[in-house]
Amino acid sequence: MSLIITDECINCDVCEPECPNEAIYQGEEIYEIDPDKCTECVGHYDEPQCQQVCPVDCIPLDENNPETEEQLIAKYEHLTGEKYVEV
């Protein structure tokens, strides 16, 4: 699943630069995540970096966008043009 930023977001600006896929952007009121770019950091890190730095814990899995590990790997390969290597 991709991740989603909930309305508990305080616009602290720490998540956006941590995203290796540039999936996080400033929305109308809070930061948002583009599900087409979010790989939960698969291919880059062991854990989603935005979740690690978020001070208010407002970045859960998006239950409305279920994806398997294989789908996340395929998305990583498509976005980066690189073959997935387990980290």
Side-chain angles (χ1 to χ4, degrees):
M1 293 182 205
S2 64
L3 301 167
I4 189 169
I5 297 176
T6 66
D7 59 3
E8 285 86 24
C9 175
I10 58 172
N11 289 313
C12 67
D13 304 319
V14 297
C15 62
E16 182 184 26
E18 296 298 321
C19 181
N21 297 319
E22 299 179 354
I24 300 175
Y25 62 94
Q26 180 63 52
E28 214 170 288
E29 294 184 27
I30 60 173
Y31 278 92
E32 297 181 23
I33 297 177
D34 181 343
D36 294 330
K37 292 183 177 180
C38 179
T39 62
E40 296 176 44
C41 289
V42 166
H44 298 283
Y45 302 102
D46 290 333
E47 298 178 343
Q49 297 302 288
C50 59
Q51 286 181 328
Q52 299 302 306
V53 298
C54 181
V56 292
D57 195 27
C58 69
I59 309 176
L61 290 172
D62 182 358
E63 299 291 334
N64 294 320
N65 191 18
E67 293 175 296
T68 64
E69 177 96 10
E70 291 78 22
Q71 289 172 309
L72 293 171
I73 290 170
K75 191 189 304 185
Y76 163 82
E77 290 177 342
H78 174 74
L79 289 170
T80 64
E82 298 177 11
K83 185 77 175 146
Y84 171 77
V85 177
E86 194 168 334
V87 287

